[in-house]
Amino acid sequence: MSESSVALEIEHTPDSPVLRVRGARSRGFSASDGFGYNAGSITRRALTDWFPSLGGPNTDTLLDLPTTRARSRDLARNAPLATGALNTIVTTTVGTGLEPQAKIDRKVLGLTQEQAAEWQSRAETLYWAHFGAEACDIEGRENMAGLQELVLRSALESGDAFVIRRFRERPGDVLGLKLQVLEADRVSNPANALNTDRLIGGVEVDGDGMAIAYHVLNRHPGEFFTPGVFAWERIPAFAARTGERQVRHIMRPTRPGQRRGMPLLAPVIETLKQISRLSEAELAAAVVNAFFTVFIKTADGENGMAPIDATDTTTASGRSVSSSEYKMGPAAMLDLAAGEDVVFADPKRPNPALEAFFEMMLREVGVAIELPFEFLVKHFTSSYSASRAALLEAWRAVVTRRGWLVRQFCQPSYEWGISEAVTRGYLNAPGFFESPLLRRAWLGTVWIGSVMGQLNPLDEVNASEKAIQIGISSIAKEAVKNNGGDSEQIHEERVREHSARVAGGLEPPVLVPAGASAPATSTADQRDSADQAERQNAGGKR
């Protein structure tokens, strides 16, 4: 080995691999200083005691998951900041519910525009007939909007959630499809067995790493009100006959090969807990300060008096004092013995530097969970541009979370419902079960939900109008962007309203936008108008 060469050896220890370096002495090179990055140094003062492990995606997750999950739920219940952050995310992501608009690929299916529109309208009607009611919930408590909120909140708090496709035919239901939402704790290894390369955290995988089954506990392990012996049910991920997926695992993995998710608050759990403690301590100190507490100080240091609520007491100087003499009131004067003095408790609260410190910590929390400070605390006091920038930044995270919720839960549930509707003959979809390509064409959808708030609605509408005029957007897209509505439904409502106003004599027959000229009429229309005017004039003469 030459003088300038460097040899690397990896020594495996029970904890983690350790890098050993040989022959790293030439040209003033020291391996302890790192090779190309200061981050690899082991001698820099800030890094000398920092040796994190190189654990795998499941080793780093599963060992800490139970404690992290419990702490996340505790914060969600008892820490106002954590509760508000989770509520904000759920409210902005789901709102009143994410709604599908059927958008089938009519070119692949060989349908006319009218045929496609008719099929889409019927599919949406069937969707709302089932998913718009509690019939879609196996417990019969929530409709699809409620289940969306439940699934998202559970996944954020616990790290993941599970939705199982069930079938229960109940009187009055349009479809037999039922959705069963499971909390993360109910999926675990049978008999709490150790993890293996094929069974990790209750998820059974094949040689390619694809989940092929989930092991579900018959009741929540922390539920003490449900008697019985614990038992696990192995639920295949895919149906044996059709190959359709039967279980949806709702999570956002951050590493390849990760089998279970971590709570959203995991990186900031310690910070949130300390903020909560600080807030409680400051509040307690402020309450003490509001009590206006008084202490009697004597010259010899002995107790000058009994508790203030005593009937009577004797001071250190031997003077008998009634409790009424120490009663405070407006302009009250206390007769103290020689050597006695009054000392007021002053905890120096509220702390004038507390607000700035809290704001700094909240910004740190907001960065970790993708909620700008203004959005996190619902307090927009900056300029219009800064507030709008914070709103736009928060909305990017909302759109991303909404996308994975639709991808992992909403769209699969829609597909389960449409599949059953086609099977029952409610929808005519040739090739649906024979061709995967045609199946995808029949199941095309666009999901819409609550829109981003507007700080200046007039500017937003003007921008939408301009975007439509120059051809970089459409009425349909701007309708979704501004109010989350369906442009076709809006058009039908406008036509219906205009017809009613015309019939009532409130508007002219032709709706002309402000500043625009009336549409040109044909020669036949002009002739009909002239004939009508002539008849009216003739009638007037009679």
Side-chain angles (χ1 to χ4, degrees):
M1 181 174 64
S2 64
E3 184 179 0
S4 61
S5 63
V6 176
L8 303 180
E9 294 179 350
I10 298 181
E11 176 184 343
H12 289 273
T13 65
D15 296 328
S16 63
V18 177
L19 185 65
R20 304 295 184 189
V21 184
R22 294 188 293 104
R25 296 190 172 206
S26 62
R27 301 181 183 178
F29 179 84
S30 174
S32 62
D33 291 332
F35 294 98
Y37 291 88
N38 291 336
S41 172
I42 60 175
T43 59
R44 289 178 174 270
R45 185 178 299 276
L47 305 175
T48 53
D49 58 350
W50 187 16
F51 296 100
S53 65
L54 287 173
N58 296 304
T59 301
D60 285 346
T61 303
L62 295 178
L63 297 180
D64 294 327
L65 184 55
T67 302
T68 304
R69 183 183 293 160
R71 288 172 175 171
S72 173
R73 292 174 182 166
D74 181 74
L75 288 174
R77 292 191 299 265
N78 300 308
L81 180 61
T83 304
L86 292 174
N87 287 341
T88 297
I89 292 175
V90 173
T91 299
T92 53
T93 303
V94 176
T96 56
L98 305 180
E99 304 175 359
Q101 290 183 354
K103 299 293 181 183
I104 64 177
D105 194 333
R106 65 181 185 86
K107 294 182 179 180
V108 171
L109 299 172
L111 301 178
T112 65
Q113 188 171 357
E114 291 74 17
Q115 290 173 327
E118 182 180 356
W119 195 95
Q120 290 169 170
S121 176
R122 184 169 179 80
E124 292 176 6
T125 300
L126 286 169
Y127 172 87
W128 286 113
H130 184 67
F131 290 96
E134 293 80 5
C136 63
D137 183 7
I138 196 170
E139 297 182 2
R141 296 193 304 172
E142 296 287 351
N143 61 9
M144 187 59 174
L147 292 180
Q148 290 170 359
E149 180 177 345
L150 179 63
V151 167
L152 178 59
R153 186 182 298 276
S154 181
L156 294 177
E157 285 188 13
S158 304
D160 50 14
F162 297 84
V163 179
I164 301 178
R165 180 185 187 181
R166 301 291 193 181
F167 186 83
R168 301 283 191 277
E169 284 194 291
R170 295 168 179 167
D173 291 352
V174 177
L175 302 175
L177 170 67
K178 299 294 181 288
L179 303 177
Q180 181 182 12
V181 180
L182 300 180
E183 200 165 36
D185 311 65
R186 288 189 59 183
V187 177
S188 59
N189 293 347
N192 297 316
L194 296 177
N195 293 311
T196 66
D197 60 332
R198 296 299 180 90
L199 182 60
I200 308 170
V203 181
E204 185 178 339
V205 300
D206 61 12
D208 296 327
M210 173 177 282
I212 59 175
Y214 298 87
H215 295 263
V216 179
L217 196 58
N218 59 342
R219 59 188 176 95
H220 195 286
E223 188 61 83
F224 302 111
F225 301 104
T226 305
V229 179
F230 287 125
W232 280 261
E233 176 187 3
R234 183 183 183 274
I235 302 179
F238 300 91
R241 185 175 62 86
T242 64
E244 290 185 283
R245 186 178 288 275
Q246 303 299 301
V247 181
R248 299 301 308 188
H249 187 182
I250 315 300
M251 63 170 285
R252 295 184 70 182
T254 57
R255 296 178 63 179
Q258 181 179 345
R259 297 302 168 195
R260 300 301 301 267
M262 290 295 286
L264 173 72
L265 301 178
V268 292
I269 280 180
E270 182 180 2
T271 302
L272 287 172
K273 185 60 176 177
Q274 295 289 62
I275 291 177
S276 180
R277 287 171 174 166
L278 176 60
S279 179
E280 292 175 1
E282 288 292 331
L283 178 60
V287 171
V288 170
N289 189 38
F291 284 160
F292 199 64
T293 306
V294 176
F295 301 95
I296 302 300
K297 179 181 179 182
T298 62
D300 54 9
E302 296 182 5
N303 292 335
M305 59 177 293
I308 198 73
D309 59 349
T311 304
D312 54 54
T313 185
T314 303
T315 65
S317 60
R319 185 168 64 92
S320 179
V321 180
S322 172
S323 61
S324 61
E325 294 188 42
Y326 294 98
K327 183 178 180 180
M328 293 187 177
M333 299 182 65
L334 304 181
D335 182 16
L336 300 178
E340 293 182 347
D341 193 8
V342 175
V343 179
F344 295 94
D346 185 10
K348 306 296 184 185
R349 292 297 186 274
N351 185 352
L354 181 62
E355 182 177 356
F357 177 75
F358 255 66
E359 181 175 334
M360 179 189 68
M361 300 307 299
L362 294 185
R363 291 184 184 278
E364 180 179 304
V365 171
V367 168
I369 61 177
E370 296 185 284
L371 282 181
F373 170 76
E374 294 85 353
F375 208 70
L376 177 62
V377 299
K378 307 290 198 311
H379 193 54
F380 295 88
T381 58
S382 302
S383 64
Y384 170 80
S385 299
S387 298
R388 177 168 171 75
L391 194 61
L392 290 173
E393 192 63 30
W395 197 249
R396 289 190 181 96
V398 169
V399 171
T400 301
R401 290 191 179 99
R402 184 176 289 179
W404 73 259
L405 180 63
V406 166
R407 184 174 63 253
Q408 295 190 11
F409 173 59
C410 301
Q411 181 65 20
S413 300
Y414 172 86
E415 294 178 3
W416 288 340
I418 295 300
S419 296
E420 184 180 343
V422 173
T423 302
R424 290 176 176 269
Y426 296 156
L427 290 171
N428 181 28
F432 188 90
F433 294 107
E434 291 77 21
S435 171
L437 176 61
L438 296 180
R439 181 184 177 89
R440 301 304 334 152
W442 286 114
L443 293 174
T445 54
V446 174
W447 290 80
I448 61 176
S450 302
V451 300
M452 178 180 67
Q454 298 176 348
L455 300 179
N456 192 330
L458 181 59
D459 287 348
E460 303 289 345
V461 172
N462 290 338
S464 296
E465 181 182 17
K466 187 67 175 179
I468 296 173
Q469 289 177 353
I470 65 178
I472 62 174
S473 186
S474 64
I475 294 178
K477 291 183 178 179
E478 295 304 318
V480 172
K481 173 183 173 183
N482 283 277
N483 57 25
D486 183 349
S487 61
E488 295 180 359
Q489 182 179 3
I490 294 174
H491 174 73
E492 293 176 358
E493 291 178 356
R494 291 191 64 200
V495 171
R496 185 166 56 251
E497 291 172 354
H498 175 63
S499 300
R501 293 179 67 83
V502 169
L506 300 178
E507 288 184 3
V510 179
L511 181 62
V512 181
S517 57
T521 56
S522 64
T523 303
D525 292 338
Q526 294 175 358
R527 185 167 54 251
D528 292 341
S529 299
D531 293 343
Q532 183 179 4
E534 184 176 353
R535 287 194 298 270
Q536 290 177 348
N537 291 334
K541 290 179 181 179
R542 287 196 299 269

